[in-house]
Amino acid sequence: MTDFSDLGELFAFLSGHAPFDGLPDDVRARLAAESTISEFAEGATILDGLSASPDHAFVVLSGRVGVWNFPTAVPGEARDVDEVVGPGGVFGYVVILVGAKGGPRAVALSDVTLLRLPAWAVGDMFSTPAGAAFLATELAKPTTAVSAEEVRERTAGEIVRRAPVVCPPTVTVQEAATAMTEAKSGYIVVENAAREPLGIVTDHDLRARVISVGRPVTDPVTAVMTAPLAAVPESALSSDVLIEMLDRKLHYMAVLDEHAAVRGVVQDVDFLTVPTTSTFALQRRIERASAAELPEIGATIREIFPVLWGQQAPVRHISGVAAVAIEAMVRRCIELELPVHPELREGDFTWLSLGSVSRREVVPSSDVDSAIILRDLPGASPEEIEVRRSAALALAAAVHGRLEECGIPSDTNGAVAAQPRFCRTEAEWLYAAGEWIEAPLSNNAMMMASLLVDGRPVWGDLTLQPVAGVYQHLSEHPRAFMLMLREALTAKARLRSVRDVISLRGGTFDIKAHALVPVVNIARWAALSRGSTKLQTRNRLAAGADSPVLPDDSAEVLREAFSILERLRLEHQVEQMAAGRTPGDVLSIRRMSSLDRGLLEQCVRQVAAVQRRMANLAQYLDAGEW
């Protein structure tokens, strides 16, 4: 029998169970030393679930514990238990992470021996990749049904767990570090007397800007802070905040109240119970992966869709997380390939993500579109430019080859940086964009412009978007303006096809071609018409609304229809994955529920009506009136 009072045996026990096996040895040893062992007889209540929330989590060393996640005043029957936790299992941690009030109820189903973890342990053990993966697995387990209010996505303000740790700009580095230690915080926000945030100092900043370089701790805190402060309004949805943090590789994000004062700060660990738990760990795993490890990670990315769908995450959340992961894979592939091409240096080019990945609208069937912008070198000869172009084309081909090996396909129409027309110098892209906007009917101008204005830089100069910059002034070019509108309305929402299918005169419906693409095209044009550089379809519709051709009510109709169509599309593809079939966009109408069939028909009708209205209005309005 294991003697858990022996720290060596306790250390060995923890080393064999997740998430403790992912902790560094010294942290695991400290955990064993600072935890306490408790014993409970069968039937004893460990946590009653109705008083104050627990501030300690527990590990089952022996025996079994029954856990009710949403207890009521009337104790649940043993057969109604939500979860039975056995040796090595952990309970009580979720409410600590989210700061919930009350819960869970835990009862000994047999004589049990428990390890009561110290308060600091919960944050530490789940901030490791192994801890994040453990929690993602736990959250993926089936749970009892919850109400619509419980499923509602939380806002950034609701995730904030405590008041921010702040200091004035007059304090020294040492005083700021002392305040962080006393508050047990990994950050401190620097703000002025008017409560206006100036910046933030994190543990990483102290290590990188003070300790590693020997900076005097008597220097002002402003000398080492990160500014400006990354912040979101308290009304921002948690999914949008998480994706922005992943995109920008942030560990902390300030949350501002209605007066633009810092209400609190959320960090990556605060998202451990949001249904994208594993994404921070996945991002770190990609950044460190060897070439041999990438295919396995590609399989993990594909699992994002069924796992998060099963957790009832919002579709935009699922798509956004998958897109961020794919772009991280692109960056890692570039890093691995760059040494093979000595003609190129790290700052010689910018890689653009195009299409659904750049718009954060990825589904399992999505492929990867790309382009390269070669940095202009003053005085470079044509021969030197071609040498760099050849190297860039070879690198792009190798990157897409690696992605293919990872199960991430390239665009089947050739819209990839390995093709010369998608690999140009910055000057060449600017010249081409100028030609496209002046002569929109030549050289596939509108098709190329539509692809490139969706560009999102993911490597190199992250501010470089030459084509999008030119098309921000689309309204100053009336002919191109009108022709791009007509082009945007070319892909029709095909209501007649839907009627045929629903009346059993057909059997399938392409939801992308005949429903989603029309909305995406309208949104792109609407944003360009207002000089907006927004990329996501919903954001573009918001940016381009309130115009004579696309009034607010029409834009809202399109936003709602787009959300429903996205859900139907993703649900269909997740079902295909579960059945072992290749995900695609062709739906079998006969297999749809009557409710989904009705929603599909309604959405296509609404999109088609907006298209007709826009086409009619465009005939009577001059571009200058818009």
Side-chain angles (χ1 to χ4, degrees), residues 268-395:
D268 46 12
V269 72
D270 293 324
F271 291 91
L272 289 175
T273 53
V274 175
T276 46
T277 299
S278 61
T279 54
F280 283 103
L282 179 60
Q283 186 111 331
R284 289 192 290 269
R285 185 181 171 198
I286 293 170
E287 291 169 358
R288 302 168 184 170
S290 66
E293 293 170 327
L294 289 178
E296 181 183 347
I297 297 175
T300 301
I301 292 173
R302 289 193 294 278
E303 287 303 308
I304 286 174
F305 299 101
V307 169
L308 297 188
W309 178 261
Q311 294 171 2
Q312 303 181 50
V315 173
R316 68 176 179 280
H317 199 163
I318 301 171
S319 296
V321 167
V324 169
I326 289 171
E327 288 181 347
M329 288 286 279
V330 170
R331 284 190 292 271
R332 186 57 183 148
C333 289
I334 293 173
E335 290 171 345
L336 292 170
E337 284 297 330
L338 200 52
V340 183
H341 304 278
E343 305 91 340
L344 285 176
R345 292 173 298 178
E346 187 171 320
D348 279 353
F349 66 96
T350 295
W351 183 288
L352 294 183
S353 172
L354 310 176
S356 60
V357 177
S358 69
R359 295 195 307 271
R360 302 290 187 258
E361 291 161 6
V362 174
V363 293
S365 66
S366 295
D367 51 27
V368 175
D369 307 49
S370 64
I372 280 179
I373 305 169
L374 290 167
R375 183 167 61 92
D376 289 330
L377 295 179
S381 67
E383 292 77 15
E384 290 172 327
I385 293 173
E386 290 311 311
V387 167
R388 292 169 64 239
R389 192 194 315 276
S390 296
L393 290 169
L395 178 138

Side-chain angles (χ1 to χ4, degrees), residues 17-20 58 60 65 67 69 82-94 97 125-126 129-144 272-278 307-308 310-311:
H17 294 87
F20 311 103
F58 295 85
V60 179
V65 174
V67 176
N69 293 316
D82 293 325
E83 182 182 4
V84 175
V85 183
V90 190
F91 64 91
Y93 57 88
V94 172
L97 288 172
M125 69 185 184
F126 289 122
F134 166 84
L135 191 52
T137 301
E138 291 298 300
L139 290 174
K141 293 178 179 178
T143 59
T144 54
L272 289 175
T273 53
V274 175
T276 46
T277 299
S278 61
V307 169
L308 297 188
Q311 294 171 2

Side-chain angles (χ1 to χ4, degrees), residues 66-242:
V67 176
W68 288 261
N69 293 316
F70 304 99
T72 61
V74 180
E77 298 291 335
R79 65 176 178 272
D80 297 326
V81 66
D82 293 325
E83 182 182 4
V84 175
V85 183
V90 190
F91 64 91
Y93 57 88
V94 172
V95 290
I96 298 174
L97 288 172
V98 299
K101 305 298 183 184
R105 174 179 169 81
V107 175
L109 301 181
S110 66
D111 291 347
V112 295
T113 302
L114 302 178
L115 187 69
R116 184 174 183 262
L117 301 175
W120 58 265
V122 173
D124 281 29
M125 69 185 184
F126 289 122
S127 63
T128 65
F134 166 84
L135 191 52
T137 301
E138 291 298 300
L139 290 174
K141 293 178 179 178
T143 59
T144 54
V146 295
S147 68
E149 176 61 23
E150 290 168 325
V151 172
R152 179 185 64 84
E153 185 178 359
R154 291 181 295 163
T155 63
E158 292 170 323
I159 294 176
V160 170
R161 297 170 58 192
R162 65 173 184 171
V165 182
V166 301
C167 70
T170 53
V171 305
T172 65
V173 170
Q174 184 175 28
E175 290 169 331
T178 300
M180 291 167 64
T181 301
E182 291 175 349
K184 296 181 180 179
S185 171
Y187 75 89
I188 191 164
V189 173
V190 182
E191 60 180 24
N192 62 23
R195 292 196 63 199
E196 297 171 337
L198 306 177
I200 188 171
V201 175
T202 67
D203 283 334
H204 173 76
D205 294 331
L206 293 177
R207 290 193 299 271
R209 301 172 185 171
V210 180
I211 298 172
S212 65
V213 298
R215 179 187 289 273
V217 295
T218 53
D219 281 1
V221 70
T222 51
V224 298
M225 72 181 183
T226 297
L229 179 68
V232 294
E234 60 186 350
S235 59
L237 294 177
S238 61
S239 59
D240 295 334
V241 178
L242 174 58

